[in-house]
Amino acid sequence: MIQLQGKGVSKGVTSGPVYFFRRSDATVTKVENADPAAEKARLAEAQEKSIEQLNRLADKCREEAGEEAAVLFETHAMFVEDEDYVECIMDTMESEGCNAEFAVQTAGEQFAAMFAAMEDAYMRARAADIRDVTTRILNNLMGVIEGGIDSEVPVVLAADDLAPSETLQLDKSKILGFMTQGGSGNSHTAILARTMGIPAICGLGEQLQPAMEGSVAYVDGETGTVTLDPDEPTLAAFEAKRKKQQEMKLLMQTMKGQQDVTLDGREMMVYCNIGSPDDLSAVLNNDGRGIGLFRSEFLYLKASDFPTEDAQFEAYKAVAAGMKGKRVVIRTLDIGADKQVAYFDMKKEENPALGVRAIRICLNRPEIFRTQLRALYRASAFGKVAIMFPMITSVWEVRECKRFCAEVMAELDREGIAYNPKTEIGIMIETPASIFVADALAKEVDFFSVGTNDLTQYTLACDRQANDLGRFFDPHHPAVLRALKIATDAAHAAGIWIGICGELGADLSLLETFLAIGIDELSVSPSSVLPLRAAIRKSTARTCTLEKLDC
Ligand code: PEP
Ligand code: MG
């Protein structure tokens, strides 16, 4: 029996074969004197495979994200066979006697450079499409696996670490659990695992070895233990825990349809955090009363170029309409720090968590911000959308955001496009600055939502990504809890509601403290809704105390 100990970051037990994530880091090398006929045949096969994949993606998009996104993939499929592009590849193979990979890469670079130099902004933006298609053909030539997993059966996915963009590309139906050498509980990859309801363990370090591939891993996302080849008592204990988990799930079903009210009648709004319209079914299955945080940047992380206004509108509309009049808080894009997107072309920063991220990008690059705001306001005609701005530190930022909102609404009026002019506007409270000026900020907006992941990071000066800060990264620290109290008092003095959408919201050991502080809403991953409801219904708000705020 082998046991590895890491940090459990998404609860639940699961078992399955270990599979190591295949990263597409294959580099193209030039092979001289290649056999032209064989290389042409390889190219034809890779083109055929690419077209098949793109058509499949187009069909999926048509069902899930609307026509415009589908057309994009169809255009990519057509480009795979574009006469000029293919002629350029063939010419290179023939004139240089080289392998297909080198010829495809050369043609891709030439065409992308040609488009990037064009006058017209639309045509310039097509350079990204060409790079995307070229990468797809190259991946198929080199046998790189799309989505990182090539397995018929679901697996326990192992990796050194996973970037949020990599996690988003994975085929969820193939994943039973995650285990990584690095990572931290507050990284967006761990947050995604919790949203998907998949057990996950991080920080396993060197104990996790590629030689383990194929062995059956027993993963306990609560204790952070991975067991290979368990002895009988360990296996029995694991199976007992799995059974208990199933029983608990069944018991929690009885919470569906129940009120989120304490024994003495205090209501807490229990909402969900999501990252894409795909998560809507989990919200509905777990009876979430609203969506307290839709991390819209995940739409950008999944894409290979800026999502258009229409593509975003379709995604927001699907969620707004699907929630049938329940509140859907959509956060404007929060790119930066660990959420990096190549096509944003951002300068490398020494301290990205303190750099040009989130609202700072939007205020510096209004064309990106306006596109998103237009999509959000258009979606507001189809449900109860609320717009939320991340990483706020100052009143002027909020006023500038509201000015953009007013401009976008005026534009939609002129164009005769429907929207809800009463769309609520809120901000995330996740910087110490926003706590200190919470009273002034509260007068500007309709609600606050506390991002405790970043608030903890910035208040305690502890990197949320680092997995070796241990006890120093402490979201229970009185400084964090007092900050919550200050923000809550400021919100209530101004007559607005306040919620928590950071991971701390699901921490049942703090529920009484949140009730005592006066928090109005907790937004958690869908799988945490029913256990949270059960805990609220057993609490008595009147007897809750603020003692955890003491040092
Ligand atoms: C937070 O910081 O707590 C939050 C909810 O936002 P994110 O985790 O996406 O930074
Ligand atoms: Mg945050």
Side-chain angles (χ1 to χ4, degrees), residues 188 295 331 334 339 357 390-391 428 430 451-455 458 464:
H188 285 92
R295 289 181 162 95
R331 174 173 77 183
D334 187 6
K339 291 176 283 195
R357 56 166 294 200
M391 273 292 286
M428 293 204 59
E430 48 185 351
T452 47
N453 310 330
D454 276 319
L455 185 63
Y458 296 126
R464 64 188 272 187

Side-chain angles (χ1 to χ4, degrees), residues 443-460:
K443 293 188 186 120
E444 298 287 331
V445 293
D446 300 308
F447 64 94
F448 280 171
S449 184
V450 187
T452 47
N453 310 330
D454 276 319
L455 185 63
T456 306
Q457 147 161 281
Y458 296 126
T459 302
L460 303 184

Side-chain angles (χ1 to χ4, degrees), residues 422-440:
K422 297 222 161 62
T423 299
E424 283 181 319
I425 288 188
I427 56 169
M428 293 204 59
I429 297 289
E430 48 185 351
T431 61
S434 65
I435 298 291
F436 293 129
V437 296
D439 54 342

Side-chain angles (χ1 to χ4, degrees), residues 495-527:
I496 64 171
W497 61 269
I498 179 166
I500 296 178
C501 61
E503 297 304 296
L504 203 60
D507 186 334
L508 298 182
S509 70
L510 283 178
L511 175 60
E512 294 216 335
T513 308
F514 297 150
L515 285 164
I517 287 175
I519 296 291
D520 303 298
E521 177 242 24
L522 294 171
S523 189
V524 297
S525 59
S527 60

